[in-house]
């Protein structure tokens, strides 16, 4: 069980994590390497695509308190329970690779501490209290962040499924896309001017 006060603060501040990480990589970048930068950019784009795909299946998620009007178990949620956070992780790894390999380890540890030990357990506690056995079955069949098993592991859940909504995805992810573009440009400029 997660301390409710800590989880509430962590959930509200989960977006600030990206700003702190971006500031760190801008202050302490490694040397510029074009192949590493391009590889990191590709990984970043993959993470954003996953987030966009996930956002098109859920109601508004940019909130300050944990909530869920419906338990979504389709789209990318069919393979992992937290595709938005998986997308965050992939994007963070992309930025970390752009600025140097040591940052991948720093980011992975920070992500694990914040998301895997505080935010995700608090959300799961809420979902279990709201959706009961339906969530319990979903959780027991679908991994949290890594799609370890492929296939439909939740076929027994009978829910009204919603189609992907690109308009909803765009409206919810425009902030994330803007941040990605801005931080990537700042990283590129920092690396270029620091090591040209």
């Amino acid at each position: 069980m997660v301390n409710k006060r800590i989880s509430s603060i962590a959930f509200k501040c989960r977006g600030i994590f990206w700003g702190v990480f971006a500031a760190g990589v801008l202050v302490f970048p490694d040397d510029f390497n074009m192949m590493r930068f391009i590889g990191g950019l590709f990984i970043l784009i993959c993470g954003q695509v996953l987030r966009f795909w996930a956002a098109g299946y859920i109601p508004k998620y940019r909130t300050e308190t944990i909530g869920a009007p419906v338990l979504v178990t389709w789209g990318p949620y069919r393979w992992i329970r937290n595709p938005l956070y998986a997308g965050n992780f992939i994007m963070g790894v992309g930025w970390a690779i752009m600025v140097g390999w040591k940052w991948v380890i720093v980011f992975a540890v920070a992500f694990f501490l914040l998301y895997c030990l505080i935010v995700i357990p608090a959300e799961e506690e809420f979902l279990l209290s709201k959706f009961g056995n339906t969530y319990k079955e979903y959780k027991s069949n679908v991994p949290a962040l890594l799609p370890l098993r492929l296939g439909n592991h939740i076929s027994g859940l009978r829910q009204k499924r919603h189609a992907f909504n690109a308009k909803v995805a765009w409206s919810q992810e425009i902030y994330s896309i803007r941040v990605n573009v801005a931080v990537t440009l700042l990283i590129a400029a920092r690396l270029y001017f620091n090591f040209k």
Side-chain angles (χ1 to χ4, degrees), residues 24-101:
V25 299
L26 290 173
V27 173
F28 303 108
D30 282 349
D31 61 328
F32 181 74
N33 178 298
M34 182 57 78
M35 290 307 293
R36 191 179 66 218
F37 185 84
I38 291 170
L41 182 61
F42 175 76
I43 291 169
L44 172 76
I45 291 168
C46 289
Q48 183 60 73
V49 167
L50 176 57
R51 280 188 58 89
F52 188 82
W53 184 30
Y57 286 103
I58 59 175
K60 185 173 175 65
Y61 65 86
R62 292 195 182 277
T63 61
E64 291 190 12
T65 57
I66 297 171
V70 64
L71 178 62
V72 180
T73 60
W74 50 89
Y77 297 88
R78 177 178 165 185
W79 291 284
I80 53 176
R81 296 191 310 269
N82 300 286
L84 289 168
Y85 295 152
N88 285 354
F89 180 76
I90 294 166
M91 292 185 312
V93 167
W95 280 338
I97 289 171
M98 287 179 192
V99 296
W101 294 111

Side-chain angles (χ1 to χ4, degrees), residues 11 14 47-62 67-88 120 123-124 127 131 134-135 137-155 157 159-165 168-169 172-173:
F11 188 83
R14 67 196 188 281
Q48 183 60 73
V49 167
L50 176 57
R51 280 188 58 89
F52 188 82
W53 184 30
Y57 286 103
I58 59 175
K60 185 173 175 65
Y61 65 86
R62 292 195 182 277
V70 64
L71 178 62
V72 180
T73 60
W74 50 89
Y77 297 88
R78 177 178 165 185
W79 291 284
I80 53 176
R81 296 191 310 269
N82 300 286
L84 289 168
Y85 295 152
N88 285 354
I120 291 173
E123 288 182 350
E124 290 185 337
L127 292 169
F131 299 107
T134 303
Y135 182 72
E137 180 187 350
Y138 174 62
K139 183 179 178 185
S140 69
N141 289 299
V142 178
L145 290 168
L146 298 174
L148 302 175
R149 302 174 303 243
L150 296 178
N152 186 355
H153 302 290
I154 51 170
S155 58
L157 296 181
Q159 292 183 285
K160 181 181 177 186
R161 297 178 183 223
H162 301 279
F164 176 80
N165 187 326
V168 168
Q172 293 193 69
E173 278 301 291

